[in-house]
Amino acid sequence: MISPRPTLYRDAALADPTGPSLRKEVSLLVDAGHVVWIRPSTDEGDLPPSVHVIDAGGSTIVPGMVDAHSHVTLPGGSHWIDRGADPPDELLDVAEHNGDLLGRAGVRWARDVGSPLAVDPRDGQRRALALRVRERWRSDPNRPRIRVAGTWIGHSGVLTGGLAIEADDGPALLKAASTQLDDGADFLKLYLDGPKKEEAPWSTEDVRAVVELAHGRGAKVTAHSGFLVGARVGIDAGVDSLEHGFELDSDAVATMARQGTFLVSTLAIFRSWASFAQTTTLPRFVSDEGKERIARRRERAIESVRLAYRAGVSIATGTDFGGGSLRANHLAWEVEALVEAGLKPWEALASATVRGGELLEEREAGRIVEGGPADFFLVHGDPLTDPTALWRVWRVAWLAE
Ligand SMILES: [Zn+2]
C-alpha cells in the first residue's frame, strides 16, 4: 500500500546483486511508492517534516525478486498435476492466495508460463485463466506485477487433462500461437518435449515461423525444454529463452550464449520431490526406483545449469510453483539450488532479480534506484553470501503495513 507520508528506512545494509559486498549504514527514503534517495545513515541531510522513521538496524534491503517461472493459478504440492483440473473459480482463489504468498516472500514480479484454459464468463470464450488474474492485479499495488504466457502450446499426447492447446503440425502451431496473442498473451510458451522422448514435437522451421510471428507482434517466445533434442530445435529456431533446460550440452549452451538466449532455471523442484520421499506415500517419490530416477535427473539438470553458467548464458530463475510442486513463497529454495550449481550467491540473487527483469524487458524490475519504485524487502543476514537469508523476510516495502 502506498503510505500517505514519507518513510525512512534507517541504518540498513543494502544488497545490490551486481557485486559480492553489502553496503552498510544505508538510509533510504520512500515517498509516494518511490525511492527518493539512498544516503549514508551518518549523512541523511534534511528530512521531510512528517517522515515515518523505521529503525532497520540489523536488516538488509533486497530488491523485490522476479519469479521468472511461475504458474499463478495453480497451487503446487505433491498432487500439483491433479490440481490443474480444479474448477476455474477455485483456481482464481488459488491465484489470490499465491499473490499473498509471493508478496510476503519478497517476490515483486511473476512471469506466468502457463495456465489452464477456462471459459471467460464475460464473453463465453475459452482463454488462459491467468489473463484474468493479470487484469485483477493490474490496479492493485499490493499484488505482484505479472506477465502472462497464456496457456501451454503442446503436441498431442504430451500434456494431460485438456489444459493446453494442442498442435501437431506447423500450420496448427502457427494458428495456436496467433490465437494466444489475440487473446492477450504477453509472450508465448511452447512445450518442446514431444510424445517420444527422443524426438522433438515440431521441426526447427515450424518453430522459427512462430518466433517470427511473435517477434513481428512484439512478443517473445519461450520453450519448455526437458530433453536435449527439443532444446536444439528451440535454440536453432531462435526462441528467446528455454525453461528448465534439464538436458543441455556444451554445444547448446555455447549457441545460447552467442545468441543471447536466456535459460530459466528450475532446479528446486528436484529438492521438493526429494522431500516428498519423507512426507508422502506416493511410489514415484518413495520407491527406491523413483528416488534413483529423481536423483539422476537432478544431477543432469544441475550439470546443465553449470554448463550454461560457465558458457556465460544469462540465467533467470523461477520456482515453477503450481506447474511443479513448489509453493509460491519458495523462490529462496531455487536461489539455494543455483548456488549448488556453481553460481556465487550474489550471482544467484542476480538471477532472481535483475536477470529476470532483463528477460521481461522491465528495466526497473529487480533493481533499487533513486527515482524508481520502492520495490524492495528486508531480510536478516547477507543474501550476497548466503541465499538462506532470503527466507528470513522481516518486512516488504510495497505491502500494507
Ligand atoms: Zn512450469
Side-chain angles (χ1 to χ4, degrees), residues 2-14:
I2 294 180
S3 170
R5 57 186 181 132
T7 303
L8 180 75
Y9 294 82
R10 177 172 281 162
D11 194 22
L14 178 68

Side-chain angles (χ1 to χ4, degrees), residues 69-71 113 152 189 224 244 266 320-321 323-324:
H69 188 120
S70 63
H71 301 271
V113 288
W152 305 263
K189 169 79 175 292
H224 165 107
H244 319 294
T266 61
D320 200 7
F321 83 78

Side-chain angles (χ1 to χ4, degrees), residues 107-172:
V107 178
R108 189 60 173 126
W109 286 83
R111 177 173 171 266
D112 188 282
V113 288
S115 63
L117 292 169
V119 174
D120 192 327
R122 292 167 306 185
D123 59 8
Q125 298 289 319
R126 276 183 98 221
R127 61 170 70 91
L129 206 48
L131 293 166
R132 258 189 274 171
V133 177
R134 186 185 63 189
E135 278 166 43
R136 276 190 186 184
W137 289 2
R138 190 170 272 153
S139 57
D140 185 347
N142 286 318
R143 284 305 190 210
R145 309 183 199 278
I146 61 172
R147 294 289 176 267
V148 172
T151 197
W152 305 263
I153 302 173
H155 195 285
S156 59
V158 181
L159 288 157
T160 53
L163 302 180
I165 296 185
E166 294 186 342
D168 288 356
D169 57 27

Side-chain angles (χ1 to χ4, degrees), residues 60-71:
T60 303
I61 297 171
V62 186
M65 294 191 287
V66 181
D67 190 333
H69 188 120
S70 63
H71 301 271

Side-chain angles (χ1 to χ4, degrees), residues 46 51 93 108 120 152 170 201 217 238 257 262 264 267-268 278 289 307 368:
D46 291 340
V51 70
D93 289 345
R108 189 60 173 126
D120 192 327
W152 305 263
R217 293 179 62 170
F262 273 76
V264 184
L267 292 173
Q278 273 107 49
E289 189 200 334
L307 286 171
I368 305 170

